[in-house]
Amino acid sequence: MKRLMTALIAILMPLTAVAESAHVHSSPYAGQEHRPIKSLSPEDIAELENGGGWGLAKAAELNGIPGPSHVLKMKDDLDLTAEQEEEVTSIFEHMRSAAVSAGKGLIAGERALETAFRERSIDRDGLWEYLHRIEASRAKLRYAHLAAHLEMVRVLSAAQIDRYNELRGYSR
Protein backbone atom coordinates (compact mmCIF):
# COMPACT_ATOMS: atom_id res chain seq x y z
CA MET A 1 0.00 0.00 0.00
CA LYS A 2 2.91 2.32 0.81
CA ARG A 3 4.42 1.65 -2.61
CA LEU A 4 1.12 2.43 -4.31
CA MET A 5 0.76 5.75 -2.44
CA THR A 6 4.37 6.68 -3.18
CA ALA A 7 3.89 5.89 -6.87
CA LEU A 8 0.64 7.86 -6.99
CA ILE A 9 2.27 10.91 -5.39
CA ALA A 10 5.21 10.62 -7.78
CA ILE A 11 2.82 10.63 -10.73
CA LEU A 12 0.57 13.47 -9.51
CA MET A 13 3.22 15.96 -8.32
CA PRO A 14 4.49 16.85 -11.81
CA LEU A 15 0.90 17.36 -12.99
CA THR A 16 0.27 20.05 -10.37
CA ALA A 17 3.46 21.83 -11.43
CA VAL A 18 2.32 21.78 -15.07
CA ALA A 19 -1.10 23.11 -14.07
CA GLU A 20 0.49 25.97 -12.15
CA SER A 21 2.77 26.91 -15.03
CA ALA A 22 -0.19 27.17 -17.42
CA HIS A 23 -1.53 30.29 -15.69
CA VAL A 24 -3.53 32.48 -18.03
CA HIS A 25 -2.59 36.15 -18.09
CA SER A 26 -5.34 37.49 -20.32
CA SER A 27 -7.20 40.57 -19.16
CA PRO A 28 -10.94 41.08 -18.81
CA TYR A 29 -10.26 44.26 -20.84
CA ALA A 30 -9.07 42.28 -23.88
CA GLY A 31 -10.82 43.63 -26.96
CA GLN A 32 -11.41 47.04 -25.44
CA GLU A 33 -8.05 48.26 -26.75
CA HIS A 34 -9.81 48.90 -30.08
CA ARG A 35 -12.26 51.42 -28.63
CA PRO A 36 -11.73 55.04 -29.71
CA ILE A 37 -11.96 56.05 -26.03
CA LYS A 38 -10.78 53.10 -23.99
CA SER A 39 -12.56 54.06 -20.76
CA LEU A 40 -15.98 54.49 -22.42
CA SER A 41 -17.96 51.85 -24.26
CA PRO A 42 -20.03 52.85 -27.30
CA GLU A 43 -23.10 52.45 -25.06
CA ASP A 44 -21.58 54.79 -22.46
CA ILE A 45 -20.90 57.41 -25.12
CA ALA A 46 -24.44 57.16 -26.51
CA GLU A 47 -25.91 57.47 -22.99
CA LEU A 48 -23.78 60.54 -22.23
CA GLU A 49 -24.52 62.20 -25.58
CA ASN A 50 -28.26 61.74 -25.02
CA GLY A 51 -28.24 63.13 -21.49
CA GLY A 52 -28.92 59.75 -19.89
CA GLY A 53 -28.52 59.20 -16.18
CA TRP A 54 -25.63 56.72 -16.45
CA GLY A 55 -26.65 55.49 -12.98
CA LEU A 56 -25.45 58.70 -11.33
CA ALA A 57 -28.75 59.47 -9.57
CA LYS A 58 -28.99 56.25 -7.56
CA ALA A 59 -28.55 58.15 -4.30
CA ALA A 60 -31.90 59.83 -4.96
CA GLU A 61 -33.67 57.08 -6.88
CA LEU A 62 -32.96 54.30 -4.41
CA ASN A 63 -33.89 56.50 -1.46
CA GLY A 64 -37.37 57.05 -2.82
CA ILE A 65 -36.95 60.33 -4.67
CA PRO A 66 -38.36 60.01 -8.21
CA GLY A 67 -36.66 61.10 -11.41
CA PRO A 68 -38.46 63.17 -14.04
CA SER A 69 -37.81 60.79 -16.92
CA HIS A 70 -39.49 57.88 -15.15
CA VAL A 71 -42.27 60.09 -13.81
CA LEU A 72 -43.14 61.12 -17.37
CA LYS A 73 -43.18 57.50 -18.49
CA MET A 74 -45.52 56.65 -15.61
CA LYS A 75 -47.67 59.78 -15.82
CA ASP A 76 -50.91 57.82 -16.23
CA ASP A 77 -50.12 55.42 -13.40
CA LEU A 78 -49.24 58.37 -11.17
CA ASP A 79 -52.34 60.34 -12.19
CA LEU A 80 -50.34 63.45 -12.99
CA THR A 81 -52.39 66.57 -13.49
CA ALA A 82 -51.84 68.60 -16.66
CA GLU A 83 -50.02 71.19 -14.55
CA GLN A 84 -47.76 68.55 -12.99
CA GLU A 85 -46.99 67.02 -16.37
CA GLU A 86 -46.03 70.42 -17.74
CA GLU A 87 -43.78 71.12 -14.76
CA VAL A 88 -42.13 67.68 -14.87
CA THR A 89 -41.56 68.08 -18.61
CA SER A 90 -39.87 71.44 -18.01
CA ILE A 91 -37.66 69.96 -15.28
CA PHE A 92 -36.79 67.01 -17.51
CA GLU A 93 -35.87 69.23 -20.47
CA HIS A 94 -33.69 71.45 -18.29
CA MET A 95 -32.02 68.39 -16.76
CA ARG A 96 -31.46 66.79 -20.14
CA SER A 97 -29.94 69.96 -21.59
CA ALA A 98 -27.51 70.29 -18.68
CA ALA A 99 -26.73 66.56 -18.79
CA VAL A 100 -26.00 66.59 -22.54
CA SER A 101 -23.61 69.50 -22.06
CA ALA A 102 -21.86 67.87 -19.10
CA GLY A 103 -21.79 64.49 -20.87
CA LYS A 104 -20.12 66.01 -23.89
CA GLY A 105 -17.59 67.61 -21.56
CA LEU A 106 -16.89 64.26 -19.93
CA ILE A 107 -16.47 62.57 -23.32
CA ALA A 108 -14.13 65.34 -24.49
CA GLY A 109 -12.10 65.04 -21.31
CA GLU A 110 -11.79 61.26 -21.65
CA ARG A 111 -10.87 61.66 -25.33
CA ALA A 112 -8.12 64.15 -24.42
CA LEU A 113 -6.79 61.81 -21.73
CA GLU A 114 -6.88 58.93 -24.21
CA THR A 115 -4.93 60.96 -26.74
CA ALA A 116 -2.33 62.02 -24.17
CA PHE A 117 -1.70 58.40 -23.17
CA ARG A 118 -1.67 57.18 -26.77
CA GLU A 119 0.83 59.89 -27.78
CA ARG A 120 2.83 59.38 -24.57
CA SER A 121 2.61 63.13 -23.98
CA ILE A 122 1.35 62.98 -20.41
CA ASP A 123 3.20 63.22 -17.11
CA ARG A 124 2.06 62.98 -13.50
CA ASP A 125 1.29 66.71 -13.17
CA GLY A 126 -0.62 66.76 -16.46
CA LEU A 127 -2.56 63.72 -15.37
CA TRP A 128 -4.05 65.69 -12.46
CA GLU A 129 -5.21 68.41 -14.86
CA TYR A 130 -6.94 65.92 -17.13
CA LEU A 131 -8.59 64.15 -14.20
CA HIS A 132 -9.83 67.38 -12.62
CA ARG A 133 -11.49 68.39 -15.89
CA ILE A 134 -13.09 64.97 -16.33
CA GLU A 135 -14.33 64.83 -12.75
CA ALA A 136 -15.70 68.38 -12.94
CA SER A 137 -17.77 67.26 -15.94
CA ARG A 138 -18.89 64.15 -14.06
CA ALA A 139 -19.92 66.31 -11.08
CA LYS A 140 -21.95 68.61 -13.36
CA LEU A 141 -23.62 65.59 -14.94
CA ARG A 142 -24.46 64.06 -11.58
CA TYR A 143 -25.69 67.38 -10.23
CA ALA A 144 -28.04 67.84 -13.19
CA HIS A 145 -29.65 64.47 -12.55
CA LEU A 146 -29.78 64.63 -8.75
CA ALA A 147 -31.11 68.20 -8.73
CA ALA A 148 -33.93 67.11 -11.05
CA HIS A 149 -34.84 64.34 -8.62
CA LEU A 150 -35.01 66.90 -5.82
CA GLU A 151 -37.44 68.98 -7.88
CA MET A 152 -39.82 66.03 -8.10
CA VAL A 153 -40.42 66.18 -4.34
CA ARG A 154 -41.79 69.69 -4.82
CA VAL A 155 -44.02 68.70 -7.76
CA LEU A 156 -45.43 65.32 -6.70
CA SER A 157 -47.67 64.48 -3.78
CA ALA A 158 -46.55 62.03 -1.11
CA ALA A 159 -49.05 59.49 -2.48
CA GLN A 160 -47.63 59.85 -6.00
CA ILE A 161 -44.10 59.37 -4.69
CA ASP A 162 -45.18 56.26 -2.81
CA ARG A 163 -46.88 54.93 -5.95
CA TYR A 164 -43.77 55.69 -8.03
CA ASN A 165 -41.60 53.68 -5.67
CA GLU A 166 -44.09 50.83 -5.65
CA LEU A 167 -44.17 50.75 -9.46
CA ARG A 168 -40.37 50.86 -9.62
CA GLY A 169 -40.18 47.86 -7.29
CA TYR A 170 -38.57 49.62 -4.36
CA SER A 171 -39.48 48.62 -0.85
CA ARG A 172 -38.98 50.62 2.28
Side-chain angles (χ1 to χ4, degrees):
M1 186 65 141
K2 277 187 177 181
R3 281 187 187 180
L4 182 59
M5 285 300 266
T6 304
L8 192 55
I9 289 171
I11 292 170
L12 292 177
M13 286 198 51
L15 292 176
T16 60
V18 169
E20 287 180 24
S21 69
H23 180 73
V24 178
H25 296 286
S26 67
S27 168
Y29 307 137
Q32 295 178 12
E33 69 273 15
H34 303 294
R35 291 178 177 176
I37 302 174
K38 310 300 186 259
S39 60
L40 297 174
S41 70
E43 296 80 16
D44 291 334
I45 293 170
E47 177 90 354
L48 291 166
E49 288 176 336
N50 290 316
W54 215 35
L56 295 175
K58 285 182 183 180
E61 178 73 17
L62 297 178
N63 279 296
I65 301 175
S69 173
H70 300 297
V71 167
L72 289 172
K73 290 173 187 167
M74 296 191 283
K75 66 184 180 183
D76 294 334
D77 293 317
L78 298 175
D79 293 324
L80 291 187
T81 65
E83 183 179 281
Q84 283 177 313
E85 185 177 349
E86 186 177 310
E87 198 162 356
V88 173
T89 299
S90 175
I91 292 166
F92 173 76
E93 288 172 357
H94 181 266
M95 177 210 65
R96 188 171 182 282
S97 175
V100 165
S101 176
K104 286 180 180 179
L106 194 147
I107 293 167
E110 289 288 352
R111 184 175 287 118
L113 179 66
E114 171 73 30
T115 300
F117 271 101
R118 184 176 49 253
E119 294 175 352
R120 309 286 196 268
S121 62
I122 191 169
D123 59 20
R124 291 172 66 94
D125 292 334
L127 177 59
W128 274 117
E129 292 175 30
Y130 284 103
L131 295 178
H132 282 292
R133 273 183 264 152
I134 291 166
E135 294 310 315
S137 293
R138 182 187 303 271
K140 288 176 186 174
L141 177 63
R142 193 166 191 199
Y143 180 84
H145 285 282
L146 288 169
H149 278 255
L150 288 175
E151 288 294 307
M152 293 297 92
V153 175
R154 182 181 55 75
V155 175
L156 302 176
S157 71
Q160 287 171 315
I161 292 171
D162 288 343
R163 180 74 175 131
Y164 173 93
N165 286 302
E166 178 187 321
L167 290 168
R168 296 285 284 162
Y170 307 140
S171 60
R172 289 213 139 177

